[in-house]
Amino acid sequence: MTVTKKSWQDISAGMIKHREETIAAINPAVPEPPKDLPLNVTGIPAQLLPKDVISITETPTETLIQKLASGQLTSTAVTTAFLQRAGLASKLTNCVTELLPDRALDRAKILDDHFAKHGKTIGPLHGLPISVKEHLSMKGLDINAGFVSWVGKIAPDDALILKLLRKAGAVFYVRTTEPQALMHLETDNNIYGVTVNPYNTALTSGGSSGGEGALIGMHGSCLGIGTDIGGSIRSPAANNGVFGLRPTSFRLPVGGWAATMIGSEHIIPVIGPLSTSLEGVKVFMKTLIDQQPWVYEPSLVNMPWKEAPSATLLRKSDGKRKLRIGILADDGVVKPHPPILRGINTLVTKLRESPDIELVEFPPYKHEEAWQIISSLYLADGAAEEREAIDASGEPWQPLTDFIIKDNPNVKDLSISELWKLTQDRDGYKAAYNQHWNSINTTQPGPDKTSEVEVSAIPEMDKMVDVILTPTGPGCAPPHNCSRYWGYTSQWNLLDYPCLIFPTGLQAGSEDKAEEGYKPRNDQDRYNYELYKPETYVDAPISLQLVGRRYEEERLIEALEMMTDIAGMPFTT
């Protein structure tokens, strides 16, 4: 008997049909959006969904947790509301791979029954719905990581991070889209198609956690899980105007995800949260680290979550040191678009008024060299695993897969000695950048100085920059297939610095005029400059990035809390 192999188109059609069936299973039914839609679809849910659904889904994460813990809301009510809104978000932005109504509502009922019987919660996330990027394993469900040839692979168990979140009381109700090969700063694959930006559907949601970004931007989730090896949490968070954290490596568990290059240690991928609130990011981190995940995944660092005052950066104007922020508005390779520069300037102007903040110019240090190193290390087997996974089904290569693999001159099948040399280059660059950071605002020599740093100079730490304020990308969310400069995010993956993305509340508009007569520095800069037209980016969120030193996630969050309070963010356009 001859078995006919399914075409990639048939496989895609089957997955889309399954997705639509899971949306159709939602009760009350998910309404159909009108055929004629504006580019900005963020206002559509308020027109189509009941007021109680809108109220629940637009409540900040931390407030929902409080209401669930006090019994003001049931997990069933909250989960049902987010199922409805997630279903509508998918119809508007194509951000969902499947909804999980049966298992989510069964779980919610267990949690509600426990609360009714015992009068207490199961854990700190009791009853809270959390969205999950598709390539994180859920027992019994498909785990394809955006490759058509991987459709039909079934996860044998839950990823460790899901086990820990479930133990804390979470409810998993939806899975979200990712791009082919997981190596785009956009989200498009041959299974589900293109995930678009809810603020302007002609623009990208970002990637590779773009399904999470669009869903959370649509308030179809208040807290979700993304992954990041070159900007994959931060690009979607920024593009969709939500919060996102790329933690330092080995802080959160990554066991149980599907991807190529599993076992590669040259550039470590990480897992982290996206949320509608900064407090949601903090709750996510604390909840996981309080469960001591290093006991279960031995590669993780044994580092408890540090609460204030041990992590404090809030040095008020009472004689103690101020919060010192380095301003890196331009990486010297690709100049950011006018909306991004307006966002930085607006925030800097507000912060400058505070006696508790000191702003310091933070010049870039050889960021073009950083890309040379990291783009050589990403695919050390010459992308053999990616090529095999794509070509196995006959699916076409997406343009941005071509960009990062076939068009990338740094991709080659490295020998052992070549890999060792690049690893030395990586570590040397990390040491040089650390010395660069230490030299800003101090008398310590920079990395290009011949003199050696004396140990006696260490007390100058009280003059050093605490955090860096910088763009997340060279512009707001770009048009589809145009996310071709990774430098503002991959820079920090190479250095393994934690990064926190936050919305300013501002949006791109007609006031952001193109710079006339600008002379691009290089081909990448020219591409980005020619990409910008004010009318293309209308309503795109203006988000920024805060960067800290390794393993200082707590300080990073606290610094942003202070900045938000002082500056009065979110701003209004």
Side-chain angles (χ1 to χ4, degrees):
M1 179 178 174
T2 302
V3 177
T4 303
K5 181 181 178 181
K6 284 186 177 181
S7 68
W8 72 264
Q9 295 94 331
D10 288 341
I11 294 171
S12 168
M15 296 299 283
I16 291 173
K17 180 183 178 183
H18 169 71
R19 190 258 307 275
E20 299 312 307
E21 288 172 347
T22 68
I23 294 175
I26 303 303
N27 185 24
V30 176
E32 286 294 329
K35 291 183 179 179
D36 295 325
L37 289 168
L39 287 175
N40 188 335
V41 297
T42 57
I44 300 298
Q47 300 173 23
L48 300 179
L49 295 174
K51 289 183 178 179
D52 63 324
V53 171
I54 297 299
S55 175
I56 289 171
T57 54
E58 295 188 1
T59 299
T61 307
E62 60 275 18
T63 306
L64 277 179
I65 290 172
Q66 293 168 2
K67 290 187 174 183
L68 286 161
S70 67
Q72 294 178 63
L73 287 172
T74 65
S75 180
T76 298
V78 174
T79 301
T80 300
F82 275 106
L83 282 166
Q84 276 193 283
R85 190 148 183 171
L88 181 57
S90 186
K91 291 175 182 287
L92 293 168
T93 65
N94 193 35
C95 58
V96 166
T97 66
E98 63 181 326
L99 290 169
L100 307 170
D102 291 341
R103 63 167 64 192
L105 290 171
D106 286 349
R107 166 71 170 165
K109 184 178 185 302
I110 290 171
L111 294 166
D112 289 339
D113 289 348
H114 179 275
F115 188 86
K117 182 177 180 180
H118 301 287
K120 61 181 181 180
T121 63
I122 281 182
L125 300 180
H126 179 93
L128 184 73
I130 291 180
S131 50
V132 183
K133 188 176 181 180
E134 189 275 345
H135 79 116
L136 300 177
S137 294
M138 280 193 183
K139 186 175 182 178
L141 298 181
D142 200 83
I143 186 80
N144 57 65
F147 295 110
V148 175
S149 68
W150 287 14
V151 169
K153 290 187 175 183
I154 304 300
D157 199 2
D158 287 334
L160 175 56
I161 195 167
L162 299 189
K163 293 180 180 181
L164 296 172
L165 290 169
R166 187 186 302 276
K167 183 180 177 184
V171 177
F172 305 120
Y173 69 107
V174 63
R175 305 175 77 203
T176 57
T177 52
E178 71 246 318
Q180 181 186 61
L182 293 171
M183 290 292 285
H184 300 194
L185 292 183
E186 300 190 19
T187 296
D188 53 343
N189 62 52
N190 293 311
I191 305 172
Y192 299 103
V194 178
T195 301
V196 299
N197 191 304
Y199 285 90
N200 184 329
T201 55
L203 305 177
T204 179
S205 65
S208 63
S209 309
E212 285 296 319
L215 181 67
I216 296 170
M218 284 292 296
H219 288 275
S221 169
C222 66
L223 183 61
I225 313 173
T227 56
D228 194 310
I229 196 172
S232 292
I233 289 171
R234 290 161 290 157
S235 159
N239 288 4
N240 297 282
V242 303
F243 295 88
L245 176 68
R246 181 236 177 251
T248 314
S249 62
F250 304 117
R251 192 108 205 244
L252 293 184
V254 300
W257 60 18
T260 54
M261 303 181 289
I262 296 291
S264 170
E265 293 189 329
H266 347 302
I267 305 297
I268 303 295
V270 300
I271 200 164
L274 296 90
S275 181
T276 53
S277 72
L278 177 57
E279 189 64 24
V281 169
K282 185 176 181 179
V283 167
F284 182 94
M285 293 294 294
K286 184 178 185 322
T287 296
L288 287 166
I289 291 174
D290 281 354
Q291 294 184 68
Q292 302 180 22
W294 50 84
V295 173
Y296 311 102
E297 192 169 300
S299 63
L300 300 184
V301 176
N302 182 338
M303 182 180 291
W305 186 258
K306 300 181 288 294
E307 292 282 10
S310 61
T312 190
L313 271 174
L314 305 188
R315 305 176 180 110
K316 300 297 183 182
S317 51
D318 57 1
K320 296 183 180 179
R321 185 162 80 78
K322 304 175 183 181
L323 171 62
R324 188 170 293 114
I325 303 170
I327 309 301
L328 199 166
D330 183 334
D331 71 354
V333 183
V334 174
K335 185 176 182 178
H337 287 164
I340 298 299
L341 295 177
R342 175 164 64 91
I344 289 179
N345 291 336
T346 302
L347 178 54
V348 164
T349 298
K350 295 285 186 180
L351 294 175
R352 189 171 282 123
E353 298 171 357
S354 172
D356 301 320
I357 300 283
E358 181 179 351
L359 302 177
V360 179
E361 285 300 315
F362 195 107
Y365 178 76
K366 298 184 178 180
H367 284 220
E368 70 285 353
E369 181 179 325
W371 174 250
Q372 172 75 28
I373 295 169
I374 197 169
S375 63
S376 300
L377 286 170
Y378 271 141
L379 302 153
D381 63 349
E385 291 192 6
E386 284 74 12
R387 296 175 194 272
E388 179 182 3
I390 295 169
D391 294 342
S393 68
E395 66 171 300
W397 283 59
Q398 291 287 333
L400 290 183
T401 313
D402 279 336
F403 164 75
I404 197 62
I405 295 178
K406 294 181 177 179
D407 301 337
N408 182 352
N410 298 321
V411 171
K412 60 177 292 190
D413 188 0
L414 299 173
S415 67
I416 293 294
S417 59
E418 288 173 324
L419 185 58
W420 286 345
K421 174 61 169 63
L422 280 165
T423 302
Q424 285 183 309
D425 292 344
R426 179 201 67 187
D427 291 347
Y429 183 82
K430 290 167 75 171
Y433 209 94
N434 183 69
Q435 191 173 347
H436 174 64
W437 185 321
N438 291 348
S439 72
I440 304 299
N441 205 54
T442 75
T443 60
Q444 296 207 35
D448 293 326
K449 303 295 183 181
T450 56
S451 57
E452 295 183 359
V453 178
E454 298 293 336
V455 175
S456 61
I458 292 300
E460 273 199 297
M461 287 176 65
D462 65 353
K463 296 180 182 179
M464 291 179 187
V465 165
D466 296 304
V467 293
I468 304 169
L469 177 64
T470 188
T472 314
C476 298
H480 302 297
N481 292 322
C482 293
S483 299
R484 294 170 183 264
Y485 184 68
W486 293 28
Y488 283 97
T489 48
S490 63
Q491 172 74 23
W492 315 114
N493 291 88
L494 181 67
L495 296 171
D496 195 22
Y497 290 169
C499 307
L500 186 55
I501 303 305
F502 61 96
T504 63
L506 301 173
Q507 293 175 291
S510 58
E511 69 267 42
D512 299 307
K513 305 296 184 185
E515 183 178 352
E516 298 294 337
Y518 177 70
K519 295 182 179 180
R521 305 157 178 168
N522 52 59
D523 289 343
Q524 292 171 303
D525 195 33
R526 179 176 295 104
Y527 179 86
N528 190 62
Y529 173 70
E530 293 175 352
L531 196 62
Y532 183 70
K533 295 177 178 61
E535 61 273 18
T536 300
Y537 290 84
V538 170
D539 290 347
I542 299 173
S543 302
L544 299 173
Q545 180 171 211
L546 202 63
V547 179
R549 291 184 185 263
R550 297 184 75 220
Y551 298 109
E552 291 194 351
E553 285 79 6
E554 298 92 334
R555 287 186 153 202
L556 197 58
I557 291 170
E558 194 174 5
L560 183 55
E561 288 172 340
M562 180 178 178
M563 292 164 61
T564 299
D565 182 57
I566 288 171
M569 287 190 293
F571 307 129
T572 55
T573 300

